[in-house]
Amino acid sequence: SSQTITGNNKMITSAAFNKARSNLSSFMLRKADNVAKQIGFGYRDCDNAPGDFEALQAAYKASKQSGLALPVWNGCSDNTVYTSCGANYAFRFWHDVLHCVHGLGFTLQDEITIGLMHHAEVVAYFGPDSIEAKIIYADTVLQSEYEARHGQFPANQLEFVTNSVMYPNIFEIVYMACL
């Protein structure tokens, strides 16, 4: 049976939430393919992807020059909003490209700026009131705020985003009040 939740004054069923996750996953895979075509190289998942902005810029430059895939981190991909690790890697690729193309580092403000770029494209595709838009906002902007306060991302990112979208009033109290 499908659970029904009231979120942001609209009824959101768990089935609708899961459909939105699937839609967003497909969107990310297409987006990464389009970005790869635009910039001339793709991505590959690996254990040792660049861990700071300078290393990411160097890897991006090397990929741009060689056409070889940009390494994206394959860790912590089990409990994300995406329905496959591959969709999460696709998101990370697009995210890392935005860092490099716009010269935005890993500060909270830069992460929020990039999160809002993701959000704007998802809104343009799915609509401003879509569950997909709520998911990407929570996955990028809200998780960046959480990480800035706690020094790490939520242990279960899917749970964090699910609670943000499906239980917004409780989420404000439990997760964000400590911010």
Side-chain angles (χ1 to χ4, degrees), residues 7-63:
N8 299 343
N9 300 323
K10 286 180 107 175
M11 299 300 279
I12 299 173
T13 64
S14 57
F17 182 81
N18 288 330
K19 176 67 173 155
R21 288 180 61 217
S22 179
N23 292 343
L24 195 57
S25 295
S26 296
F27 174 86
M28 287 304 161
L29 290 165
R30 286 190 310 272
K31 183 65 183 178
D33 285 345
N34 290 338
V35 167
K37 288 174 186 164
Q38 291 170 351
I39 63 176
F41 59 90
Y43 61 98
R44 63 180 173 81
D45 67 284
C46 66
D47 294 333
N48 60 346
D52 60 45
F53 184 55
E54 292 75 24
L56 177 59
Q57 286 179 306
Y60 180 88
K61 183 178 178 182
S63 291

Short mmCIF file of all heavy atoms in Angstrom, two decimals, residues 7-63:
data_model
loop_
_atom_site.label_atom_id
_atom_site.label_comp_id
_atom_site.label_asym_id
_atom_site.label_seq_id
_atom_site.Cartn_x
_atom_site.Cartn_y
_atom_site.Cartn_z
N GLY A 7 2.61 17.21 2.48
CA GLY A 7 3.85 17.98 2.45
C GLY A 7 3.64 19.24 1.66
O GLY A 7 3.12 19.22 0.56
N ASN A 8 4.02 20.38 2.24
CA ASN A 8 3.88 21.68 1.59
C ASN A 8 2.45 21.88 1.08
O ASN A 8 2.24 22.34 -0.03
CB ASN A 8 4.89 21.84 0.45
CG ASN A 8 6.32 21.76 0.95
OD1 ASN A 8 6.57 21.89 2.15
ND2 ASN A 8 7.24 21.55 0.04
N ASN A 9 1.48 21.49 1.91
CA ASN A 9 0.06 21.67 1.62
C ASN A 9 -0.44 20.85 0.44
O ASN A 9 -1.48 21.12 -0.10
CB ASN A 9 -0.28 23.15 1.41
CG ASN A 9 0.03 23.97 2.64
OD1 ASN A 9 -0.16 23.51 3.76
ND2 ASN A 9 0.51 25.18 2.44
N LYS A 10 0.31 19.87 -0.01
CA LYS A 10 -0.12 18.96 -1.07
C LYS A 10 0.11 17.54 -0.59
O LYS A 10 1.05 17.27 0.13
CB LYS A 10 0.69 19.19 -2.35
CG LYS A 10 0.32 20.44 -3.12
CD LYS A 10 1.17 20.55 -4.35
CE LYS A 10 0.35 20.24 -5.56
NZ LYS A 10 1.07 20.44 -6.80
N MET A 11 -0.75 16.68 -1.02
CA MET A 11 -0.59 15.28 -0.66
C MET A 11 0.50 14.66 -1.53
O MET A 11 0.47 14.78 -2.75
CB MET A 11 -1.91 14.53 -0.87
CG MET A 11 -3.06 15.06 -0.04
SD MET A 11 -2.76 14.95 1.72
CE MET A 11 -3.15 13.25 2.00
N ILE A 12 1.46 14.04 -0.87
CA ILE A 12 2.53 13.34 -1.58
C ILE A 12 2.49 11.89 -1.13
O ILE A 12 2.63 11.60 0.05
CB ILE A 12 3.92 13.95 -1.27
CG1 ILE A 12 3.99 15.40 -1.69
CG2 ILE A 12 5.01 13.13 -1.97
CD1 ILE A 12 5.27 16.10 -1.26
N THR A 13 2.29 11.00 -2.07
CA THR A 13 2.31 9.58 -1.73
C THR A 13 3.74 9.08 -1.86
O THR A 13 4.57 9.66 -2.57
CB THR A 13 1.40 8.76 -2.66
OG1 THR A 13 1.93 8.84 -3.99
CG2 THR A 13 -0.04 9.26 -2.63
N SER A 14 4.03 8.00 -1.17
CA SER A 14 5.36 7.41 -1.31
C SER A 14 5.58 6.96 -2.75
O SER A 14 6.71 7.04 -3.27
CB SER A 14 5.57 6.27 -0.32
OG SER A 14 4.59 5.28 -0.48
N ALA A 15 4.51 6.52 -3.42
CA ALA A 15 4.63 6.13 -4.82
C ALA A 15 5.02 7.33 -5.69
O ALA A 15 5.87 7.22 -6.58
CB ALA A 15 3.33 5.51 -5.32
N ALA A 16 4.40 8.48 -5.43
CA ALA A 16 4.74 9.70 -6.20
C ALA A 16 6.18 10.13 -5.90
O ALA A 16 6.90 10.56 -6.81
CB ALA A 16 3.76 10.82 -5.87
N PHE A 17 6.59 10.03 -4.66
CA PHE A 17 7.96 10.38 -4.29
C PHE A 17 8.95 9.47 -5.01
O PHE A 17 9.94 9.95 -5.58
CB PHE A 17 8.14 10.29 -2.77
CG PHE A 17 9.51 10.68 -2.30
CD1 PHE A 17 9.85 12.01 -2.15
CD2 PHE A 17 10.47 9.72 -2.02
CE1 PHE A 17 11.11 12.40 -1.72
CE2 PHE A 17 11.74 10.08 -1.59
CZ PHE A 17 12.06 11.42 -1.44
N ASN A 18 8.69 8.18 -5.00
CA ASN A 18 9.59 7.23 -5.67
C ASN A 18 9.59 7.42 -7.18
O ASN A 18 10.64 7.28 -7.83
CB ASN A 18 9.23 5.80 -5.29
CG ASN A 18 9.62 5.50 -3.86
OD1 ASN A 18 10.59 6.06 -3.34
ND2 ASN A 18 8.88 4.63 -3.20
N LYS A 19 8.46 7.77 -7.76
CA LYS A 19 8.40 8.08 -9.20
C LYS A 19 9.25 9.31 -9.50
O LYS A 19 9.98 9.35 -10.50
CB LYS A 19 6.94 8.28 -9.63
CG LYS A 19 6.78 8.69 -11.08
CD LYS A 19 7.19 7.58 -12.03
CE LYS A 19 6.85 7.96 -13.46
NZ LYS A 19 7.70 7.27 -14.42
N ALA A 20 9.18 10.30 -8.63
CA ALA A 20 9.99 11.51 -8.82
C ALA A 20 11.48 11.19 -8.72
O ALA A 20 12.29 11.72 -9.49
CB ALA A 20 9.60 12.57 -7.79
N ARG A 21 11.86 10.30 -7.81
CA ARG A 21 13.26 9.86 -7.72
C ARG A 21 13.70 9.21 -9.02
O ARG A 21 14.80 9.46 -9.52
CB ARG A 21 13.45 8.87 -6.57
CG ARG A 21 13.38 9.46 -5.19
CD ARG A 21 13.58 8.41 -4.11
NE ARG A 21 14.90 7.79 -4.25
CZ ARG A 21 15.15 6.50 -4.02
NH1 ARG A 21 14.18 5.67 -3.65
NH2 ARG A 21 16.38 6.02 -4.17
N SER A 22 12.84 8.37 -9.57
CA SER A 22 13.14 7.69 -10.83
C SER A 22 13.26 8.71 -11.96
O SER A 22 14.19 8.65 -12.77
CB SER A 22 12.05 6.67 -11.13
OG SER A 22 12.30 6.03 -12.35
N ASN A 23 12.33 9.66 -12.01
CA ASN A 23 12.38 10.72 -13.03
C ASN A 23 13.67 11.52 -12.92
O ASN A 23 14.32 11.83 -13.93
CB ASN A 23 11.19 11.67 -12.88
CG ASN A 23 9.87 11.05 -13.21
OD1 ASN A 23 9.79 10.00 -13.85
ND2 ASN A 23 8.79 11.68 -12.76
N LEU A 24 14.04 11.87 -11.70
CA LEU A 24 15.24 12.65 -11.48
C LEU A 24 16.49 11.87 -11.85
O LEU A 24 17.44 12.41 -12.43
CB LEU A 24 15.30 13.11 -10.01
CG LEU A 24 16.27 14.21 -9.67
CD1 LEU A 24 16.02 15.48 -10.50
CD2 LEU A 24 16.17 14.54 -8.18
N SER A 25 16.49 10.59 -11.58
CA SER A 25 17.62 9.72 -11.96
C SER A 25 17.78 9.70 -13.48
O SER A 25 18.90 9.85 -13.99
CB SER A 25 17.41 8.31 -11.42
OG SER A 25 17.41 8.31 -10.02
N SER A 26 16.69 9.52 -14.20
CA SER A 26 16.74 9.53 -15.67
C SER A 26 17.21 10.88 -16.19
O SER A 26 18.01 10.96 -17.12
CB SER A 26 15.37 9.20 -16.25
OG SER A 26 15.00 7.89 -15.90
N PHE A 27 16.72 11.94 -15.58
CA PHE A 27 17.13 13.30 -15.95
C PHE A 27 18.63 13.47 -15.79
O PHE A 27 19.31 14.02 -16.66
CB PHE A 27 16.37 14.31 -15.09
CG PHE A 27 16.80 15.74 -15.28
CD1 PHE A 27 16.24 16.51 -16.29
CD2 PHE A 27 17.75 16.32 -14.45
CE1 PHE A 27 16.63 17.84 -16.47
CE2 PHE A 27 18.15 17.63 -14.62
CZ PHE A 27 17.59 18.39 -15.63
N MET A 28 19.19 12.99 -14.67
CA MET A 28 20.63 13.14 -14.40
C MET A 28 21.47 12.37 -15.42
O MET A 28 22.50 12.87 -15.87
CB MET A 28 20.98 12.69 -12.99
CG MET A 28 20.54 13.63 -11.91
SD MET A 28 21.18 15.31 -12.15
CE MET A 28 20.04 16.20 -11.10
N LEU A 29 21.03 11.18 -15.77
CA LEU A 29 21.77 10.40 -16.77
C LEU A 29 21.77 11.11 -18.12
O LEU A 29 22.82 11.19 -18.79
CB LEU A 29 21.19 9.00 -16.88
CG LEU A 29 21.43 8.11 -15.65
CD1 LEU A 29 20.52 6.89 -15.69
CD2 LEU A 29 22.90 7.70 -15.56
N ARG A 30 20.63 11.66 -18.52
CA ARG A 30 20.56 12.42 -19.78
C ARG A 30 21.38 13.69 -19.70
O ARG A 30 22.10 14.05 -20.65
CB ARG A 30 19.11 12.77 -20.12
CG ARG A 30 18.26 11.62 -20.62
CD ARG A 30 16.92 12.07 -21.17
NE ARG A 30 16.20 12.95 -20.28
CZ ARG A 30 15.35 12.55 -19.31
NH1 ARG A 30 15.15 11.25 -19.11
NH2 ARG A 30 14.72 13.43 -18.56
N LYS A 31 21.30 14.38 -18.57
CA LYS A 31 22.03 15.63 -18.39
C LYS A 31 23.54 15.38 -18.49
O LYS A 31 24.25 16.13 -19.17
CB LYS A 31 21.68 16.27 -17.04
CG LYS A 31 22.34 17.60 -16.80
CD LYS A 31 21.86 18.64 -17.78
CE LYS A 31 22.60 19.94 -17.58
NZ LYS A 31 22.19 20.96 -18.56
N ALA A 32 24.02 14.35 -17.82
CA ALA A 32 25.45 14.04 -17.88
C ALA A 32 25.88 13.71 -19.30
O ALA A 32 26.96 14.14 -19.74
CB ALA A 32 25.79 12.89 -16.93
N ASP A 33 25.07 12.98 -20.04
CA ASP A 33 25.38 12.68 -21.44
C ASP A 33 25.47 13.96 -22.26
O ASP A 33 26.38 14.13 -23.07
CB ASP A 33 24.33 11.75 -22.05
CG ASP A 33 24.48 10.31 -21.59
OD1 ASP A 33 25.54 9.96 -21.03
OD2 ASP A 33 23.52 9.53 -21.80
N ASN A 34 24.52 14.86 -22.04
CA ASN A 34 24.52 16.13 -22.78
C ASN A 34 25.72 16.99 -22.42
O ASN A 34 26.35 17.60 -23.29
CB ASN A 34 23.22 16.90 -22.53
CG ASN A 34 22.02 16.24 -23.18
OD1 ASN A 34 22.17 15.47 -24.13
ND2 ASN A 34 20.84 16.52 -22.67
N VAL A 35 26.04 17.06 -21.13
CA VAL A 35 27.21 17.83 -20.69
C VAL A 35 28.48 17.24 -21.31
O VAL A 35 29.33 17.98 -21.81
CB VAL A 35 27.30 17.86 -19.14
CG1 VAL A 35 28.66 18.38 -18.68
CG2 VAL A 35 26.17 18.71 -18.56
N ALA A 36 28.60 15.92 -21.29
CA ALA A 36 29.79 15.26 -21.87
C ALA A 36 29.94 15.62 -23.35
O ALA A 36 31.05 15.89 -23.81
CB ALA A 36 29.70 13.75 -21.68
N LYS A 37 28.84 15.63 -24.08
CA LYS A 37 28.90 16.00 -25.50
C LYS A 37 29.32 17.45 -25.67
O LYS A 37 30.10 17.78 -26.57
CB LYS A 37 27.55 15.76 -26.16
CG LYS A 37 27.23 14.29 -26.35
CD LYS A 37 25.83 14.08 -26.88
CE LYS A 37 25.50 12.60 -26.91
NZ LYS A 37 24.07 12.34 -27.06
N GLN A 38 28.83 18.31 -24.80
CA GLN A 38 29.16 19.74 -24.89
C GLN A 38 30.62 20.04 -24.59
O GLN A 38 31.23 20.89 -25.23
CB GLN A 38 28.28 20.56 -23.94
CG GLN A 38 26.83 20.63 -24.33
CD GLN A 38 25.96 21.26 -23.24
OE1 GLN A 38 26.41 21.49 -22.12
NE2 GLN A 38 24.71 21.52 -23.59
N ILE A 39 31.19 19.34 -23.60
CA ILE A 39 32.55 19.67 -23.18
C ILE A 39 33.62 18.75 -23.76
O ILE A 39 34.80 19.02 -23.62
CB ILE A 39 32.67 19.71 -21.63
CG1 ILE A 39 32.37 18.36 -21.00
CG2 ILE A 39 31.78 20.80 -21.06
CD1 ILE A 39 32.56 18.30 -19.49
N GLY A 40 33.21 17.65 -24.39
CA GLY A 40 34.16 16.81 -25.09
C GLY A 40 34.76 15.67 -24.30
O GLY A 40 35.71 15.03 -24.75
N PHE A 41 34.24 15.39 -23.12
CA PHE A 41 34.69 14.24 -22.34
C PHE A 41 33.61 13.83 -21.35
O PHE A 41 32.75 14.63 -20.99
CB PHE A 41 36.01 14.51 -21.60
CG PHE A 41 35.95 15.66 -20.62
CD1 PHE A 41 35.58 15.45 -19.30
CD2 PHE A 41 36.28 16.95 -21.02
CE1 PHE A 41 35.53 16.49 -18.40
CE2 PHE A 41 36.24 18.00 -20.12
CZ PHE A 41 35.86 17.78 -18.81
N GLY A 42 33.67 12.58 -20.94
CA GLY A 42 32.70 12.04 -20.00
C GLY A 42 33.29 11.86 -18.62
O GLY A 42 34.17 12.63 -18.21
N TYR A 43 32.85 10.84 -17.94
CA TYR A 43 33.26 10.62 -16.56
C TYR A 43 33.39 9.12 -16.30
O TYR A 43 32.85 8.30 -17.05
CB TYR A 43 32.28 11.24 -15.58
CG TYR A 43 30.87 10.69 -15.69
CD1 TYR A 43 30.42 9.71 -14.82
CD2 TYR A 43 29.99 11.15 -16.67
CE1 TYR A 43 29.13 9.20 -14.91
CE2 TYR A 43 28.71 10.66 -16.78
CZ TYR A 43 28.28 9.69 -15.89
OH TYR A 43 27.01 9.17 -16.00
N ARG A 44 34.11 8.82 -15.24
CA ARG A 44 34.22 7.44 -14.77
C ARG A 44 34.21 7.48 -13.26
O ARG A 44 34.77 8.40 -12.65
CB ARG A 44 35.48 6.77 -15.29
CG ARG A 44 36.77 7.41 -14.80
CD ARG A 44 38.02 6.70 -15.33
NE ARG A 44 39.22 7.44 -14.97
CZ ARG A 44 39.83 7.37 -13.78
NH1 ARG A 44 39.34 6.59 -12.84
NH2 ARG A 44 40.91 8.07 -13.54
N ASP A 45 33.57 6.50 -12.66
CA ASP A 45 33.56 6.44 -11.20
C ASP A 45 34.83 5.76 -10.72
O ASP A 45 35.36 4.86 -11.36
CB ASP A 45 32.31 5.71 -10.70
CG ASP A 45 32.29 4.24 -11.06
OD1 ASP A 45 32.03 3.91 -12.23
OD2 ASP A 45 32.55 3.41 -10.17
N CYS A 46 35.33 6.23 -9.57
CA CYS A 46 36.55 5.67 -9.01
C CYS A 46 36.64 5.97 -7.52
O CYS A 46 35.91 6.83 -7.01
CB CYS A 46 37.78 6.18 -9.74
SG CYS A 46 38.07 7.93 -9.54
N ASP A 47 37.55 5.27 -6.86
CA ASP A 47 37.74 5.46 -5.42
C ASP A 47 38.53 6.72 -5.09
O ASP A 47 38.40 7.26 -3.99
CB ASP A 47 38.51 4.27 -4.83
CG ASP A 47 37.74 2.98 -4.89
OD1 ASP A 47 36.50 3.04 -4.88
OD2 ASP A 47 38.37 1.92 -4.95
N ASN A 48 39.35 7.17 -5.99
CA ASN A 48 40.29 8.25 -5.69
C ASN A 48 40.07 9.49 -6.58
O ASN A 48 41.01 10.02 -7.14
CB ASN A 48 41.73 7.76 -5.80
CG ASN A 48 42.05 7.25 -7.20
OD1 ASN A 48 41.15 7.01 -8.00
ND2 ASN A 48 43.32 7.08 -7.48
N ALA A 49 38.83 9.95 -6.65
CA ALA A 49 38.52 11.16 -7.41
C ALA A 49 39.11 12.38 -6.69
O ALA A 49 39.43 12.30 -5.50
CB ALA A 49 37.02 11.30 -7.56
N PRO A 50 39.24 13.49 -7.39
CA PRO A 50 39.77 14.70 -6.75
C PRO A 50 38.98 15.06 -5.49
O PRO A 50 37.75 15.07 -5.50
CB PRO A 50 39.60 15.77 -7.82
CG PRO A 50 39.58 15.02 -9.12
CD PRO A 50 38.92 13.71 -8.80
N GLY A 51 39.70 15.39 -4.42
CA GLY A 51 39.07 15.66 -3.15
C GLY A 51 39.02 17.11 -2.73
O GLY A 51 38.40 17.45 -1.74
N ASP A 52 39.69 17.97 -3.49
CA ASP A 52 39.61 19.40 -3.20
C ASP A 52 39.49 20.16 -4.52
O ASP A 52 39.64 19.58 -5.60
CB ASP A 52 40.81 19.88 -2.37
CG ASP A 52 42.15 19.67 -3.06
OD1 ASP A 52 42.28 19.98 -4.26
OD2 ASP A 52 43.09 19.19 -2.39
N PHE A 53 39.21 21.44 -4.43
CA PHE A 53 38.92 22.23 -5.63
C PHE A 53 40.11 22.30 -6.58
O PHE A 53 39.95 22.18 -7.80
CB PHE A 53 38.45 23.63 -5.24
CG PHE A 53 38.04 24.47 -6.42
CD1 PHE A 53 37.07 24.02 -7.31
CD2 PHE A 53 38.62 25.70 -6.64
CE1 PHE A 53 36.68 24.80 -8.40
CE2 PHE A 53 38.24 26.48 -7.73
CZ PHE A 53 37.27 26.03 -8.60
N GLU A 54 41.31 22.46 -6.04
CA GLU A 54 42.50 22.55 -6.90
C GLU A 54 42.70 21.25 -7.68
O GLU A 54 43.01 21.27 -8.87
CB GLU A 54 43.74 22.90 -6.07
CG GLU A 54 43.72 24.30 -5.50
CD GLU A 54 42.77 24.48 -4.30
OE1 GLU A 54 42.45 23.48 -3.60
OE2 GLU A 54 42.32 25.62 -4.09
N ALA A 55 42.55 20.12 -7.00
CA ALA A 55 42.69 18.82 -7.67
C ALA A 55 41.59 18.62 -8.71
O ALA A 55 41.86 18.08 -9.79
CB ALA A 55 42.67 17.70 -6.64
N LEU A 56 40.39 19.07 -8.40
CA LEU A 56 39.29 18.97 -9.37
C LEU A 56 39.58 19.82 -10.60
O LEU A 56 39.39 19.37 -11.73
CB LEU A 56 37.96 19.39 -8.73
CG LEU A 56 36.75 19.38 -9.66
CD1 LEU A 56 36.50 18.00 -10.25
CD2 LEU A 56 35.51 19.88 -8.90
N GLN A 57 40.06 21.03 -10.40
CA GLN A 57 40.40 21.90 -11.54
C GLN A 57 41.48 21.25 -12.40
O GLN A 57 41.40 21.30 -13.63
CB GLN A 57 40.88 23.26 -11.05
CG GLN A 57 39.78 24.15 -10.54
CD GLN A 57 40.33 25.48 -10.05
OE1 GLN A 57 41.23 25.54 -9.22
NE2 GLN A 57 39.77 26.55 -10.60
N ALA A 58 42.49 20.67 -11.77
CA ALA A 58 43.57 20.01 -12.52
C ALA A 58 43.04 18.82 -13.31
O ALA A 58 43.41 18.63 -14.48
CB ALA A 58 44.68 19.59 -11.57
N ALA A 59 42.18 18.02 -12.69
CA ALA A 59 41.60 16.85 -13.37
C ALA A 59 40.72 17.30 -14.53
O ALA A 59 40.75 16.70 -15.61
CB ALA A 59 40.82 16.00 -12.39
N TYR A 60 39.94 18.35 -14.32
CA TYR A 60 39.08 18.88 -15.38
C TYR A 60 39.93 19.35 -16.56
O TYR A 60 39.64 19.04 -17.72
CB TYR A 60 38.23 20.03 -14.84
CG TYR A 60 37.31 20.65 -15.85
CD1 TYR A 60 36.03 20.14 -16.06
CD2 TYR A 60 37.71 21.74 -16.62
CE1 TYR A 60 35.17 20.70 -17.00
CE2 TYR A 60 36.86 22.31 -17.56
CZ TYR A 60 35.59 21.79 -17.74
OH TYR A 60 34.76 22.35 -18.67
N LYS A 61 40.99 20.09 -16.26
CA LYS A 61 41.89 20.59 -17.31
C LYS A 61 42.52 19.43 -18.08
O LYS A 61 42.59 19.45 -19.31
CB LYS A 61 42.97 21.48 -16.70
CG LYS A 61 43.90 22.10 -17.71
CD LYS A 61 44.92 23.01 -17.06
CE LYS A 61 45.86 23.58 -18.09
NZ LYS A 61 46.89 24.43 -17.48
N ALA A 62 42.96 18.41 -17.35
CA ALA A 62 43.56 17.23 -18.00
C ALA A 62 42.55 16.52 -18.89
O ALA A 62 42.87 16.10 -20.01
CB ALA A 62 44.12 16.28 -16.94
N SER A 63 41.31 16.38 -18.43
CA SER A 63 40.26 15.75 -19.23
C SER A 63 39.94 16.59 -20.45
O SER A 63 39.73 16.06 -21.56
CB SER A 63 39.00 15.53 -18.40
OG SER A 63 39.22 14.55 -17.42
#
